Amino acid sequence: MHTLKIALFLLILISTSSKAITEINYMVIQDQAQPFQNHQNKKHHTGIITDIVKEIFSGPEYEVKIHTLPFNRMISMLEKGDIKNWITFGSPNWPGVQSVNLSKLPVFNVQHSLLTSTQQNFDINSAEDLFGKTVILLHGFNYPGLEEHIAEKRIKAINVKNYKSAFKVVNRLKNKAGFVEMDVRIKYNLKKEDLATKDYNLHNFSKVIENYDLHLAMSPKFNKELQQHLESELDKLLQSGGLEKIISAY
C-alpha cells in the first residue's frame, strides 16, 4: 500500500512538472515608450503596460518573454509574422499592425501636448497655428494631424531619437520650436531628466491630435484561449481598481 501511494505521488509530480508552459512574447520599444514601457539596459522592465501584462499573465502556467527592440525593427518583425503570440500596446488611431487585434477594453486615454520654452505662450486651435514654425518629433512615430502639413512643408520637423535630445533642442531653440508628445510621457521624462515643468510651457494639443485610447495590441493570430484570459483579467483589473493603481504609480 505504501509503495502504491509513493507511485501515485510520483505520477502526480511528473504530470504537474511536465505541464506545458505557455509562452507570451511581450514586445518593448527600446528607450522611447516611457512610462508605458521602462527598462534599464534592456533589463529591469517596468511601466504601465509592462505591469498590466505581467499582472494578467502572472500565473505559473505562463511565461512572459520580453523582447526589447528599436521601434522600426520591432514593427518590421511583427509585420513579417516571425514572432508568435506577441503582445504590446496600440490604438485604433494608429496605422499598421498595432491596430489590428486590440483588447476590448482600453487601458489608457492619451492626450498630446506641445512643450515649449516659457518664451512661447499661445493657444493652439488648429494645425494652422504652427504654420511656419518647427516641431520636434520622436523618430519613427506617427503624428496624425501633423504629417500632411510636414510633407507639404507648411510645418518644419526635427526628428530626435529620445526625450533627452528633444528637451535639449527645446532649450537650444527657445521660441523657435516645440516638442509634440503625449502629455504623460512629457511629464514623466521631464521628471526623469530632473527638469521642472515650471521651466516650460505645456500647450494642450488636442485640437490638432485628438485624444484617443490605448489598448493592449496582440498578434493577428493570437491564441484564442490566451486572448479570452487576457480580456477576463483586464476586466477584473478595471473593476477592482487595480488598473488605476498601476497607472497612478507612474
Side-chain angles (χ1 to χ4, degrees):
M1 189 69 177
H2 182 67
T3 304
L4 181 60
K5 286 182 178 180
I6 292 174
L8 286 171
F9 174 77
L10 289 173
L11 185 63
I12 293 170
L13 185 65
I14 292 169
S15 175
T16 303
S17 61
S18 63
K19 185 178 180 180
I21 294 176
T22 303
E23 184 177 272
I24 296 94
N25 290 295
Y26 176 52
M27 313 304 294
V28 171
I29 302 168
Q30 183 177 326
D31 299 329
Q32 289 185 316
Q34 306 94 327
F36 300 113
Q37 296 177 321
N38 306 343
H39 66 89
Q40 297 176 357
N41 300 320
K42 299 186 181 181
K43 298 179 181 179
H44 311 295
H45 289 81
T46 60
I48 294 171
I49 302 299
T50 302
D51 290 355
I52 292 171
V53 170
K54 285 182 177 179
E55 183 66 27
I56 288 173
F57 296 107
S58 60
E61 66 270 41
Y62 304 110
E63 179 186 358
V64 178
K65 186 176 180 181
I66 301 177
H67 307 260
T68 308
L69 299 164
F71 178 75
N72 287 339
R73 184 180 168 196
M74 183 191 85
I75 294 299
S76 177
M77 290 179 69
L78 300 187
E79 288 176 343
K80 288 178 182 177
D82 294 339
I83 300 176
K84 308 300 180 185
N85 285 336
W86 58 259
I87 183 169
T88 185
F89 66 103
S91 171
N93 292 56
W94 295 354
V97 72
Q98 283 178 284
S99 64
V100 174
N101 184 19
L102 301 174
S103 60
K104 293 177 182 177
L105 291 172
V107 294
F108 196 88
N109 183 259
V110 168
Q111 174 185 310
H112 280 73
S113 291
L114 176 74
L115 180 80
T116 68
S117 72
T118 52
Q119 295 179 30
Q120 292 197 57
N121 191 13
F122 58 90
D123 292 328
I124 302 172
N125 296 306
S126 71
E128 292 181 4
D129 292 325
L130 294 170
F131 284 9
K133 298 184 181 294
T134 300
V135 292
I136 303 158
L137 308 174
L138 284 178
H139 179 71
F141 284 74
N142 297 291
Y143 296 87
L146 277 182
E147 291 171 350
E148 176 187 348
H149 301 296
I150 292 170
E152 296 295 328
K153 299 185 179 180
R154 291 186 284 263
I155 300 173
K156 183 180 177 182
I158 297 174
N159 290 290
V160 296
K161 291 184 178 181
N162 52 50
Y163 294 93
K164 181 180 287 188
S165 297
F167 300 146
K168 284 182 177 179
V169 176
V170 170
N171 293 336
R172 186 176 74 248
L173 296 183
K174 300 298 182 184
N175 64 336
K176 295 180 181 178
F179 176 42
V180 177
E181 181 52 289
M182 296 178 190
D183 188 73
V184 65
R185 284 181 172 176
I186 289 176
K187 291 175 179 176
Y188 177 87
N189 284 282
L190 282 173
K191 185 177 179 181
K192 181 183 175 184
E193 297 297 329
D194 201 26
L195 299 170
T197 53
K198 67 180 179 61
D199 294 331
Y200 301 87
N201 285 338
L202 269 173
H203 311 277
N204 189 306
F205 211 66
S206 59
K207 290 184 179 178
V208 180
I209 301 178
E210 293 183 1
N211 297 356
Y212 58 82
D213 286 332
L214 290 182
H215 298 248
L216 296 180
M218 293 153 281
S219 51
K221 295 181 180 180
F222 198 75
N223 180 279
K224 290 183 179 180
E225 290 185 6
L226 282 180
Q227 187 154 348
Q228 288 173 356
H229 171 79
L230 179 146
E231 303 286 7
S232 175
E233 292 301 307
L234 186 55
D235 184 60
K236 289 178 185 176
L237 270 179
L238 178 65
Q239 299 301 329
S240 68
L243 185 59
E244 182 58 37
K245 187 176 179 181
I246 289 172
I247 293 170
S248 63
Y250 295 92

